[in-house]
Every structure is written in C-alpha cells, then in structure tokens.
C-alpha cells in the first residue's frame, strides 16, 4: 500500500509538472514571462503614436513631419534587427536579453529627461535600436520549442507582443492625460529594469550555437541565408507590405481623431487601439493552424482580410464604428500572417533562428517606417482618403505577391512531413481500431 501510495503521489507530481509545462517544454510561467517582456519591449516603439500631436507641438513640427517621430524609432529598430538580433546565435541568449533590457531602461530614461528635440529624437532612435530584444526573445522561445509545437509557442509569445502594442497606445494616452507624455517613458523604464532582473533569473542557460564565428561573418551570413532561400525573401517581402499597411493606419489615425468632428482626448485615441485585440486572438489561432499544416490557408485568409479592412476604414470621418470594425479586421489579418511567417521561416534553418528572425524583422521595420512616413505626407496632401488609398495599395500588393508565388510559401519538406504525420496518425488509429475489434470479439466469445 505504501508503494502504491508513493507511486500515486509521484504520478500526481508528474501530472502536475506536465500541466505546468507550456508547449515546447518550457515552464508555463517562463513562456508567459517572455510574452509579457516581449509586449513591454515592443510597446516602446508604439508609445508615441497617440501622442504625436502633443509631442509635435512641443517640438514645433508641422503635421507633415509628425511621422518623423515614429520613423526615427523605426529606423533604430531596423538597425537593431540587423546588428543586434543575430547575436542570439553567437552569445548566450539569457545574458544578451538581460543586457539589452538594462540598456533599454537607460535609453527610456533618456527620452523622459530629454531637454530638446535633437536629444529626444536621438534617444528615441536608441530606444528603437534596443527594443529589438523582443525579437531576440521570440527567437529564443522558438529555439526552445519542440518542432511540432513551435507554432503554438510562437503564437503565445506573439500574442504578448500584440497585447503590448495595443496596451501601449491605451496606456500611453491615459498616462499622458494624467501626467504628461514624459511620464509614459519613465514608467516604462522602471518596468523594463524589473523585467531584466526577472528574465535573468528565469531563462535557462543556453550555449551559443555558432560560438567563435566572427561578428562580421555572422552579419554577412544573414544576407547569405536570404539569398539562398526563396521562402525567406518572399515572406520578408510580405512582412514589409503587411506592416506598411499596419503602420499606415496606426501612425496617422491620431490626426483625424484629434480634429473635428471627433476631437478626442489622448485617452480616447489610445483606447481605439484596444479594438485590435483580435490580433492577439489571431496570433494564437494562427499558431495552431500552422502546427496543423494550414500555412497556405492562413496566409490567404489573412491577406484577403487585410485588403477588405480598408473599406470600413475609409468611413472613419463618418463613423467611429466603421473605424473599430476596420481596425479589428486589419489587426487580425496582420498578426495571422505574421505568426505564419515566423513559424515557416524558422523551420528553414533552426540553427540560425536569430539571424533569420532578425533579417525578417528588418523587412517588418522597413515597412513600418515606410507606412508611417508615407501616411503622414499623404494626410497632409490628400487627407484621410489618401491614407486609405495608400493602405489599400500596400495590402493588395501583398495579396498579389502571395498569389503569384504560392509555391514559395511553404519550406521544403513541410508537405512531406505533414503527409508523414497524417500517415502515422492513420496507422495509429487503424491499430487501435483493430485492437478494439479484437477485444470486442473476445468479449462476445
């Protein structure tokens, strides 16, 4: 009885441990901590969006140049993606993530204390440079995940990124109304410092996969990977166009909402970001669909929805409900495509996951910067109608690119692996059916 009781207790402990494990073998608390940290880091890139008018007035920038505030952060983000994210394949990720978060906290303090426009813009560029720690964490989560569960892990972490982006706009707007825009960056600095310590304690130690490779060669290998694999180039181009459309909306919508007929406060403008919560739902769903081999369908659904989202968005001047519906559709579409892209590209060369994610996210950042600058210029020249035409053009271009090159959307071997898994499942089901039939026959006898 004691042995039986001991075994039962051990079994309960094993089951409890299994429940505590997230997909991919990481403890659930670590996966959710990574997701929270990713959201917190990437939020720093989007804090300025609902504050553009106020920041522009303080910096004496005209409406046509408000996009510079977002663009300079995106430029820094793009440089960080190319220069810093690949280090995840060269340096232990736990040490790299902790150091980047600590430096990011210092840069955020610099933004909060900036005495003038030049210092502020320089500090924002550094914030963008270091905020790429979010992608270092995405690559780490993907590397630590089991291949058959990678889509779910990436989906969970990406959900954290999406929620961080949404809450960035809402929290920034509300806090700016209460204490000014500088308080937004001060609070973020404190949270970032706390996360640096928490992740240093929580992340497992992991040896670098390309130890000893010179830094210059490491960066050059990113270009080599994209030159060698068509899938990486196609998915990178899709990321550029999709996030150009995403940035076209969120970098310019503050202007029509700040003026007549709406004249909304920072808090109300920021709250509109919450309607994009569908993006978090899409990230989780897309991860599961990709694990089931439905990458093509997920991409088609996402890109088609993205193109259609600009129809209600074009009615923003007449109805806030139309803006809400369009934002839900757009955010759902963007995140569905984004998770699909990341799951597929990591499978091309898992040992180079940080470099691949970094190169892919350079395309993401370029698209975001292009959308921010283009939408500001078009709003000054043609109003909201011009912005919607630009966003629809980016979306339709992405759909046409995918339609023209569908065969490059799935990495080599994916179809074969899917067929093998299906055959194995069918074989297992057949064996179970035979066993059940034989057992039933014995009972009848």
């Amino acid at each position: 009885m004691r042995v039986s009781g001991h075994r039962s207790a051990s079994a309960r402990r094993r089951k409890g441990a299994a429940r505590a494990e997230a997909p991919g073998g990481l403890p659930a608390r670590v996966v959710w901590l990574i997701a929270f940290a990713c959201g917190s880091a990437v939020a720093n890139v989007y804090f300025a969006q609902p504050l553009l008018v106020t920041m522009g007035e303080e910096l004496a920038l005209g409406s046509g140049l408000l996009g510079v505030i977002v663009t300079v952060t995106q430029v820094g983000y793009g440089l960080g993606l190319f220069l810093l994210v690949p280090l995840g394949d060269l340096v232990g990720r736990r040490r790299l993530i902790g150091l980047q978060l600590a430096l990011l906290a210092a840069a955020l303090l610099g933004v909060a204390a900036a005495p003038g426009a030049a210092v502020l813009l320089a500090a924002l560029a550094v914030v963008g440079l270091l905020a790429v720690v979010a992608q270092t964490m995405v690559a780490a989560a993907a590397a630590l995940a089991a291949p058959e569960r990678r889509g779910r892990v990436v989906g969970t972490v990406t959900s954290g990124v999406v929620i961080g982006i949404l809450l960035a706009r809402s929290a920034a707007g509300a806090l700016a109304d209460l204490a000014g825009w500088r308080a937004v960056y001060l609070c973020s600095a404190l949270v970032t410092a706390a996360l640096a310590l928490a992740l240093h304690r929580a992340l497992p130690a992991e040896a670098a996969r390309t130890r000893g490779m010179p830094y210059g060669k490491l960066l050059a290998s990113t270009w080599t990977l994209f030159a060698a694999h068509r899938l990486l180039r196609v998915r990178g181009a899709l990321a550029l166009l999709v996030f150009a459309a995403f940035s076209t909306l969120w970098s310019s919508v503050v202007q029509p909402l700040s003026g007549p007929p709406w004249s909304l406060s920072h808090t109300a403008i920021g709250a509109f970001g919450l309607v994009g919560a569908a993006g978090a739902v899409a990230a989780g769903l897309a991860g599961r669909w990709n694990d089931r081999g439905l990458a093509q369908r997920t991409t088609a659904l996402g890109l088609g929805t993205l193109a259609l989202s600009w129809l209600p968005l074009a009615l923003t001047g007449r109805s806030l409900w139309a803006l809400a519906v369009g934002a839900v559709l757009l955010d759902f579409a963007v995140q569905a495509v984004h998770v699909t892209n990341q799951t597929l590209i990591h499978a091309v060369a898992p040992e180079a996951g940080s470099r691949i994610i970094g190169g892919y996210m350079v395309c993401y950042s370029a698209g975001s910067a292009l959308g921010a600058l283009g939408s500001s210029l078009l709003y000054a020249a043609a109003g909201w109608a011009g912005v919607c035409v630009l966003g629809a053009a980016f979306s339709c271009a992405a759909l046409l690119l995918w339609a023209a090159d569908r065969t490059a959307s799935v990495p080599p071997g994916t179809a074969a692996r899917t067929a093998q898994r299906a055959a194995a499942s069918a074989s297992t089901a057949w064996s179970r059916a035979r066993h059940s039939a034989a057992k039933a026959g014995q009972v009848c006898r």
Side-chain angles (χ1 to χ4, degrees):
M1 293 297 293
R2 289 181 181 178
V3 173
S4 177
H6 177 72
R7 288 177 178 173
S8 297
S10 300
R12 285 195 297 270
R13 283 196 295 270
R14 284 195 298 270
K15 288 181 180 179
R19 284 194 297 268
E21 293 289 315
L26 285 173
R29 60 180 180 81
V30 176
V31 173
W32 287 109
L33 179 60
I34 293 173
F36 179 79
C38 285
S40 176
V42 79
N44 295 296
V45 181
Y46 296 92
F47 279 146
Q49 288 184 351
L51 312 175
L52 285 177
V53 174
T54 300
M55 296 176 77
E57 290 175 353
E58 183 170 327
L59 297 173
L61 295 174
S63 61
L65 294 177
L66 289 181
V68 172
I69 296 174
V70 176
T71 301
V72 71
T73 310
Q74 291 291 349
V75 169
Y77 197 78
L79 289 174
L81 290 168
F82 180 67
L83 298 175
L84 299 183
V85 174
L87 288 173
D89 292 332
L90 189 62
V91 181
R93 289 190 177 105
R94 181 173 67 177
R95 184 173 65 172
L96 179 63
I97 289 169
L99 178 60
Q100 280 189 268
L101 284 171
L103 293 175
L104 176 58
L108 289 165
L109 288 176
V111 174
V119 175
L120 178 66
L121 293 175
L124 284 172
V126 176
V127 166
L129 180 76
L130 294 167
V132 298
V133 67
Q135 301 310 318
T136 302
M137 289 186 279
V138 170
L144 293 169
E148 69 276 7
R149 300 279 184 162
R150 183 171 293 125
R152 295 187 183 184
V153 172
V154 173
T156 299
V157 175
T158 303
S159 294
V161 173
V162 176
I163 293 171
I165 294 173
L166 299 176
L167 293 181
R169 301 187 187 102
S170 303
L175 191 54
D177 280 339
L178 291 174
W181 65 265
R182 293 178 186 271
V184 174
Y185 291 94
L186 176 61
C187 290
S188 182
L190 297 176
V191 171
T192 302
L195 285 171
L197 179 61
L199 281 169
H200 181 75
R201 293 179 175 179
L203 286 175
E206 183 187 15
R209 299 185 181 187
T210 55
R211 189 178 297 277
M213 179 183 290
Y215 178 61
K217 187 175 181 181
L218 182 78
L219 296 183
S221 67
T222 302
W223 296 107
T224 303
L225 285 166
F226 276 76
H229 298 283
R230 185 178 184 85
L231 170 65
L232 300 183
R233 299 194 300 273
V234 171
R235 290 286 163 172
L238 286 177
L240 188 150
L241 293 169
V242 164
F243 281 97
F246 180 85
S247 185
T248 295
L249 171 64
W250 292 114
S251 295
S252 59
V253 72
V254 62
Q255 298 192 65
L257 294 181
S258 297
W262 307 121
S263 301
L264 300 181
S265 65
H266 289 131
T267 302
I269 294 172
F272 257 96
L274 294 177
V275 302
V281 175
L285 288 175
R288 287 169 173 76
W289 292 340
N290 278 282
D291 286 340
R292 293 166 55 191
L294 301 176
Q296 289 276 32
R297 294 182 184 179
T298 304
T299 304
L301 174 64
L303 294 176
T305 303
L306 181 63
L308 291 174
S309 70
W310 290 99
L311 295 176
L313 288 172
L315 302 176
T316 295
R318 300 178 182 178
S319 170
L320 293 181
W321 284 107
L323 171 61
V325 170
V328 166
L329 294 175
L330 182 138
D331 279 13
F332 183 97
V334 167
Q335 298 307 328
V337 176
H338 185 42
V339 170
T340 301
N341 286 348
Q342 290 183 98
T343 303
L344 291 177
I345 64 175
H346 192 278
V348 171
E351 73 283 357
S354 290
R355 281 166 284 170
I356 287 175
I357 293 291
Y360 167 81
M361 292 301 295
V362 168
C363 300
Y364 159 103
S365 185
S368 296
L370 178 63
L373 190 57
S375 62
S376 294
L377 294 174
L378 267 179
Y379 187 83
W384 185 247
V387 170
C388 291
V389 169
L390 178 66
F394 285 136
S395 304
C396 291
L399 182 59
L400 290 174
L401 172 63
W402 174 81
D405 206 346
R406 292 191 302 273
T407 57
S409 297
V410 178
T414 297
R417 288 193 297 271
T418 302
Q420 289 172 0
R421 287 197 296 267
S425 299
S427 177
T428 301
W430 172 247
S431 298
R432 289 177 179 173
R434 291 180 60 188
H435 179 71
S436 299
K439 199 170 182 180
Q442 291 175 0
V443 171
C444 290
R445 292 192 192 100

